[in-house]
Amino acid sequence: MTSELDIFVGNTTLIDEDVYRLWLDGYSVNDAVALRVRSGILEQTGATAGVLQSDTMDHYRTFHMLERLLHAPPKLLHQLIFQIPPSRQALLIERYYTFDEAFVREVLGKKLSKGTKKDLDDISTKTGITLKSCRRQFDNFKRVFKVVEEMRGSLVDNIQQHFLLSDRLARDYAAIVFFANNRFETGKKKLQYLSFGDFAFCAELMIQNWTLGAVGEAPTDPDSQMDDMDVDLDKEFLQDLKELKVLVADKDLLDLHKSLVCTALRGKLSVFSEMETNFKNLSRGLVNVAAKLTHNKDVRDLFVDLVEKFVEPCRSDHWPLSDVRLFLNQYSVSVHSLDGFRHQTLWDRYMGTLRGCLLRLYHD
Amino acid sequence: MPGKLKVKIVAGRHLPVMDRASDLTDAFVEVKFGNTTFKTDVYLKSLNPQWNSEWFKFEVDDEDLQDEPLQITVLDHDTYSANDAIGKVYIDIDPLLYSEAATVISGWFPIYDTIHGIRGEINVVVKVDLFNDLNRFRQSSCGVKFFCTTSIPKCYRAVVIHGFVEELVVNEDPEYQWIDRIRTPRASNEARQRLISLMSGELQRKIGLKVLEMRGNAVVGYLQCFDLEGESGLVVRAIGTACTLDKLSSPATFLPACNSPSKEMKESPFNEDPNPNPHSSGPSTPLKNQTYSFSPSKSYSRQSSSSDTDLSLTPKTGMGSGSAGKEGGPFKALLRQQTQSALEQREFPFLTLTAFPPGLLVHVGGVVSARSVKLLDRIHNPAFVGIMGNTRSYKLLDWNSFNSDEPETRDAWWAEIRQEIKSHAKALGCHAVVGYSESTSICEEVCILSASGTAAVLSPRFLQEGTVDGSLEQRVEENLPVGCGFCHIPYDELNMPFPAHLTHCYNCRKQKVPDVLFTTIDLPTDAVVIGKGCLIQARLCRLKKKAQAEANATAISNLLPFMEYEVHTQLMNKLKLKGMNALFGLRIQITVGENMLMGLASATGVYLAALPMPGGIQIAGKTPSDGSYEQHISHMQKKINDTIAKNKELYEINPPEVSEEIIGSPIPEPRQRSRLLRSQSESSDEVTELDLSHGKKDAFVLEIDDTDAMEDVHSLLTDVPPPSGFYSCNTEIMPGINNWTSEIQMFTSVRVVRLSSLNLTNQALNKNFNGLCENLLKSLYFKLRSMTPCCLCHVNFTVSLPEDELIQVTVTAVAITFDKNQALQTTKAHAEKSLQRASTDNEELLQFPLELCSDSVPSHAFPAAKEHPESASSNSGTPAAQRATSVDYSSFADRCSSWIELIKLKAQTIRRGSIKTTVTVEKASPMGDGNFRNRSAPPCAGSTVGVVKMTPLSFIPGAKITKYLGIINMFFIRETTSLREEGGVSGFLHTFIAEVFAMVRAHVAALGGNAVVSYIMKQCVFMENPSKNQAQCLINVSGDAVVFVRESDLEVMSTQQPAVNCQPTCTGEVTT
């Protein structure tokens, strides 16, 4: 006696959260059944393996049918085929778009193209995440990217509106889209210690301060070509950053800057002497990063540069985080006292964000 | 020109991409009714077109309005080639044809294509202006209300129950051979859908006419079925119970209904005499007689031996009617005469109801059933050659001139069966059959027709218009003992139609009762039940040789009586194993396949307090010589006894010890303990003998306790009880559980298994079938485990044999959660029961609860609505005492008296409730108010989809049905030529059933409703051809669209209104 057909359809669609997770994790029906058996569900409920198999199949089928709708979450809300309570709908969407930390670190900043998709095999082996799950996550990134890429307005709002994600998740996706669009390098060995959260934090700061949307120009000039205000860095701003070079190129200015910082921090830093010796190197590093941002290639290496030029020197001298904070604050503020320097606002826009990023990036 | 239909196409959304190049669609809509078609403009390049069309107006006969569905076709405009169809929507506009129901159909409908399924949605508004019909010879029956619900719908009152109505319509099946055909699949599927839609509209209209003839205004328990006879055509048949219903409503609910002028016009034909048709000269029309003059010689039928026709003509018939005088004294006779005269005017005194207004059901005799095996042949039907245009070419009056004997043959077949049922009922001393239903099973050219019901004696109270003798009625009321009257035997004790152990009723000790009672009806609300009930199923397979035509029919006829016998044996054994003594909602389905017959009987077992305690089951070995065998037998015996004991504990069956003297039973009864083990094999032998010789099995108040085969015993013991927290029944309500919470989950589950041809023996088959059903139930319990404690209600199994080695089982049921709190449960149960009592006892009180439930005005003030159960339990003092008595009633006398107390208490509570509003004010939290506001918003307004509940039950727990919007009766075909791509058979059917649910919900929402009650999936015919990667499925569903209001919302309203608003009667608003 073999079962040819076995279905269960409820007026309210039954969603089993545990099975949903297994499905999202890309397990096959048989693997999922095995995992469920291991969870002790048979003992708890007195069910048989056959029942479990049938139940799992059924849920998988439902999820498969729902998947098409999950690709455009507003459709899930308006469709008539599955009657699902709103709270469950939200759960389905949220879980579907949730991604694995390990996975996102692999693809963050990469071009979301077919080429990358081909690498998913390797990522799957490397991270231990099933290929199926990798594909879903990658496709989610790509789908969100495609939808909001060309859109005006706030990136987070756009994502939230079109994918009905929670605020937290929408912010994460904004970071992913931002990174993918600017192709920031995140995969280098020296960046491995950074978590997705670190990057997402930086992305948010950069979106807030370094993009066109940040300046708030668009509403006054809707016909301009600034369509993707939140996704692209403000080109003009990047061009202007060259002007900061004077801070290190002009020896007097550099010395003055150094003395201002040193005077202010004397006795307040545990690593004062190291700071004093390294000041010019660090300052040169930070200003050069800014000056190089006109080239796309250097934009991509932003994080590599920040780590190389600032995080690593400080770390090798064992600066405590509090000292880094004090230093960066003073370093930024002191520029205001440099009489010969005319680009105060530019400096603040640059350094304000960079300071936040560096503090976040500065850990083991 | 009695009607104007107006349609407006508003918009579409989520349309499929029809133009690959642009990834967009140029959609337009064709609106067709009858032969008139309108088109909208083409809305270019959009998947969400906004047509916002003008009002398309159709001026049509009301006859057409009843028969024809509104057809809406969405197409993609193509300049160079033919326009591609995206999909269709069929809208049954019947609900707009009677007052009180919906006034407008407006909402998003899924656009359905038989090949692709649902493809986007379309927003449509439909209205009807109905003019007064001046034509006395009209063929329409607008205004007759239809209900699938098999009880008097809530918020209505039965004035008269007229009786049985039936009708059938036949036609050629436009496309029964679906696999190889000439037309495109889409064209043929659509032709079929359209035809069935037309036929069911026509059928409904004709039934309506019959109702008008009977001076009724509604059909309750309307059951419409399709017989896909294949080559010989398509039969659509329907049965129902004609009634005159009164809407219980306060004037406030009615006034706003007249707001629109169209509404006013619509109401006028209804408000006048329900029967303005002078054509119906009497209750029994010549027409009807005509229909039933069948000539048996014409049909190639073989009468099944399961019901012997001779029987109805032999003395037994005489006994039924003739013995009236000597049965139960003069009063009974008087009652009988009166009821009989009321019923005898009717050809078939059948009611399709399964629950009854209080006082109607006097006695229940037992289940009566009849089956007959027929050979189908082609329905010659010249009038139907032009399928679409001409369906109404024969009108009701044309039966004589109608140039075909075929529809009459089908009619004659059924008439034969019904006659049989009637005579069986007579043999049981009953003049009526209630809980009546009909079904067929078709395989190739063989068809088994089945009918079954419960023989009963009814009170004349509802059966005649105003002619009831008041004093008699009074006497009926007085004479009906509380909660056990229906168990008392209706037949003559000295001249019993079959052997049965009679005892004095354990409840009232005055009348005789049988030892077991089988019925097809729901458990009467006033029945005294001990413990809880449970689903009991008998399952059976019998192999049959493949044969052709008459040989096949003979083979089936020969098998049938054995099947029935075994099914009953199983039922009886399982009932005893559960320690119970009565079955309700019994439904026996016999399915015929190419090489086997399947029998599946489902019922809900209960322990009726009025009936004696059931005996045990004893196993007797056939060869007592062998010692080890003996041991084995005794081991089995022990197992069985253990099971009985365990079941009694599980279902809380602990009847009070009753001393023999009080019962005064003429039959010496051994003490309880010994009774458990008592063998009753002798009596069963008698029954067997009688059964075969007299063919009297249909009146099966049988007592069979023998189990002669080990397998049978094993199969008995393989039935595992549901896991803890689960109960199941196939009736509306589960005895012993009344504290339902509002969470419900209706579901359909389908399984198809392939039997390996190797093990095709009867026993292996039985085992397989048993396993299939048991596993299915286990799966359901597992799936619904998050809802526990819950009860699966109205569990409805359907078996079909689509192919040689395939068995398909379809289950539809609803899971309802309930409150664990047992104390609350019992008091509430009492409160409800006593409420019932109180309402029957006191006319003025009756008005109260009923008015409440008819209250369709959300803001209408009625404080008593929710309050009585609550206040009854919260009333200090007395309820505590009740609780005590209800938990361990030591004797029935106690219990009865406590009931009377309760009735008094209840009466007070109700009165108090109507004045005292302060009690619940504190409960009216602002949140509750907010909830209500959300809910009261029109379901289709706004962007989110409104929730539509579906349930096979006639009620929604925790809610009041305020309005019936009309019947939902939908037929869909779905087909695929890419089965693998759609996820195989499971994926295909899963999607289709989900789509069917969606379409039902959408139609209900468009009518302004928020639930479907009495939902039933009448057919789910699934065919596959995996080698061709094809599959097809036909589904037919029906139910009643309703508006319900949560009791908690009612409470909020009722408490708030008086406080905030000083004129509660004027705030009425009709929810549309």
Side-chain angles (χ1 to χ4, degrees), chain B residues 673-959:
Chain B
R673 193 161 298 159
S674 56
R675 208 182 301 154
L676 273 173
L677 308 171
R678 186 168 54 105
S679 160
Q680 297 180 333
S681 53
E682 299 99 327
S683 68
S684 75
D685 282 347
E686 274 170 41
V687 174
T688 318
E689 207 184 296
L690 177 106
D691 204 51
L692 294 175
S693 56
H694 299 285
K696 196 59 215 81
K697 70 177 338 20
D698 300 308
F700 52 86
V701 186
L702 297 179
E703 190 171 288
I704 306 155
D705 290 82
D706 74 325
T707 44
D708 45 8
M710 267 304 159
E711 284 75 23
D712 290 354
V713 181
H714 277 300
S715 72
L716 275 181
L717 293 169
T718 51
D719 282 13
V720 241
S724 71
F726 272 108
Y727 291 93
S728 57
C729 63
N730 75 334
T731 47
E732 286 250 312
I733 39 167
M734 176 70 167
I737 303 176
N738 287 286
N739 47 338
W740 303 111
T741 51
S742 57
E743 196 188 348
I744 65 169
Q745 167 70 293
M746 188 281 296
F747 59 85
T748 292
S749 185
V750 184
R751 269 193 196 188
V752 177
V753 294
R754 184 175 293 280
L755 303 160
S756 58
S757 48
L758 294 170
N759 59 2
L760 279 187
T761 62
N762 276 337
Q763 271 160 21
L765 262 179
N766 277 335
K767 210 174 158 194
N768 276 332
F769 186 37
N770 239 324
L772 170 61
C773 295
E774 284 293 318
N775 275 328
L776 191 46
L777 281 170
K778 273 186 213 158
S779 269
L780 298 181
Y781 295 138
F782 181 75
K783 280 205 171 290
L784 299 163
R785 65 192 185 283
S786 63
M787 289 183 78
T788 52
C790 85
C791 179
L792 300 188
C793 292
H794 216 286
V795 178
N796 187 7
F797 272 71
T798 322
V799 185
S800 55
L801 299 162
E803 266 175 64
D804 257 17
E805 279 138 18
L806 291 184
I807 306 178
Q808 179 192 329
V809 178
T810 311
V811 188
T812 299
V814 63
I816 311 181
T817 56
F818 61 89
D819 205 323
K820 251 185 257 177
N821 192 335
Q822 295 291 311
L824 178 72
Q825 166 187 335
T826 34
T827 35
K828 220 174 167 185
H830 270 260
E832 258 161 47
K833 273 182 190 168
S834 57
L835 177 66
Q836 196 103 26
R837 283 277 104 199
S839 53
T840 49
D841 282 0
N842 193 329
E843 264 308 312
E844 78 178 57
L845 281 175
L846 176 74
Q847 295 305 329
F848 247 106
L850 293 176
E851 260 175 40
L852 283 169
C853 57
S854 73
D855 186 3
S856 73
V857 190
S859 51
H860 186 63
F862 245 122
K866 162 86 185 209
E867 213 185 324
H868 24 80
E870 219 90 329
S871 53
S873 54
S874 62
N875 257 343
S876 56
T878 340
Q882 281 160 28
R883 232 166 269 155
T885 49
S886 57
V887 171
D888 65 323
Y889 359 85
S890 44
S891 79
F892 284 109
D894 268 5
R895 197 157 164 211
C896 289
S897 67
S898 80
W899 263 30
I900 292 160
E901 275 171 30
L902 253 167
I903 293 162
K904 289 177 188 157
L905 173 81
K906 204 63 253 166
Q908 284 169 355
T909 323
I910 292 170
R911 283 199 201 97
R912 218 178 297 144
S914 60
I915 310 155
K916 219 169 66 176
T917 52
T918 43
V919 180
T920 40
V921 163
E922 51 206 56
K923 286 191 181 173
S925 65
M927 220 180 73
D929 187 29
N931 271 347
F932 166 63
R933 289 233 170 94
N934 284 343
R935 228 175 264 287
S936 64
C940 37
S943 54
T944 42
V945 182
V947 172
V948 175
K949 297 212 171 198
M950 291 169 78
T951 172
L953 307 179
S954 64
F955 66 96
I956 291 166

Side-chain angles (χ1 to χ4, degrees), chain A residues 210-228:
Chain A
W210 288 3
T211 59
L212 278 178
V215 201
E217 281 173 8
T220 56
D221 187 11
D223 293 327
S224 71
Q225 294 299 304
M226 307 163 201
D227 270 352
D228 28 359

Side-chain angles (χ1 to χ4, degrees), chain A residues 1-241:
Chain A
M1 192 175 74
T2 49
S3 207
E4 293 268 302
L5 186 158
D6 179 2
I7 56 160
F8 175 99
V9 191
N11 184 36
T12 305
T13 307
L14 279 186
I15 309 285
D16 186 312
E17 288 183 42
D18 297 335
V19 184
Y20 189 48
R21 203 181 300 271
L22 292 170
W23 178 75
L24 289 175
D25 287 345
Y27 291 105
S28 70
V29 173
N30 288 337
D31 291 348
V33 170
L35 284 167
R36 293 182 83 187
V37 168
R38 230 173 291 158
S39 77
I41 196 166
L42 294 187
E43 290 75 23
Q44 285 163 31
T45 58
T48 63
V51 165
L52 203 61
Q53 171 90 20
S54 138
D55 180 67
T56 312
M57 284 281 278
D58 223 56
H59 284 301
Y60 266 55
R61 205 165 34 239
T62 309
F63 298 143
H64 182 72
M65 287 193 266
L66 284 170
E67 190 164 21
R68 190 178 50 86
L69 298 162
L70 285 166
H71 290 168
K75 269 193 187 164
L76 184 71
L77 260 64
H78 293 134
Q79 55 83 32
L80 303 176
I81 298 180
F82 303 97
Q83 186 160 276
I84 304 171
S87 62
R88 289 262 135 173
Q89 287 179 340
L91 177 129
L92 284 173
I93 296 166
E94 191 77 4
R95 291 262 175 89
Y96 189 79
Y97 283 92
T98 302
F99 47 81
D100 291 308
E101 167 85 24
F103 177 79
V104 75
R105 279 298 280 111
E106 291 298 320
V107 295
L108 191 66
K110 282 190 184 149
K111 199 174 171 190
L112 299 173
S113 63
K114 284 216 174 87
T116 315
K117 199 167 181 183
K118 276 181 197 145
D119 301 336
L120 290 181
D121 272 333
D122 301 335
I123 295 176
S124 169
T125 355
K126 191 176 160 194
T127 58
I129 299 164
T130 59
L131 183 61
K132 230 176 149 186
S133 179
C134 287
R135 289 224 180 95
R136 170 182 61 83
Q137 298 181 40
F138 180 80
D139 289 343
N140 282 344
F141 294 168
K142 196 171 164 184
R143 198 176 313 110
V144 173
F145 181 83
K146 285 242 151 154
V147 169
V148 299
E149 183 188 23
E150 305 283 317
M151 238 170 233
R152 307 170 141 267
S154 153
L155 187 55
V156 177
D157 288 354
N158 284 339
I159 291 171
Q160 235 169 344
Q161 194 189 332
H162 287 87
F163 292 92
L164 311 173
L165 303 178
S166 68
D167 189 54
R168 175 79 241 124
L169 198 53
R171 280 168 199 279
D172 286 350
Y173 267 90
I176 292 164
V177 169
F178 186 72
F179 267 66
N181 189 57
N182 293 292
R183 311 269 300 281
F184 291 115
E185 174 63 57
T186 64
K188 283 264 165 63
K189 192 136 184 261
K190 51 182 61 157
L191 297 183
Q192 283 311 312
Y193 79 99
L194 292 170
S195 71
F196 170 72
D198 296 335
F199 288 116
F201 180 85
C202 299
E204 198 169 340
L205 282 178
M206 286 155 85
I207 292 169
Q208 275 165 16
N209 300 304
W210 288 3
T211 59
L212 278 178
V215 201
E217 281 173 8
T220 56
D221 187 11
D223 293 327
S224 71
Q225 294 299 304
M226 307 163 201
D227 270 352
D228 28 359
M229 319 185 310
D230 255 9
V231 188
D232 285 332
L233 292 170
D234 184 348
K235 288 264 153 49
E236 221 169 295
F237 163 68
L238 297 182
Q239 285 293 338
D240 293 347
L241 285 177

Side-chain angles (χ1 to χ4, degrees), chain A residues 291-313:
Chain A
K292 283 201 304 180
L293 284 178
T294 36
H295 306 291
N296 278 340
K297 166 81 184 60
D298 295 310
V299 170
R300 285 182 209 169
D301 285 338
L302 175 68
F303 289 94
V304 183
D305 291 342
L306 290 178
V307 169
E308 264 175 15
K309 301 277 157 53
F310 185 84
V311 176
E312 283 180 347

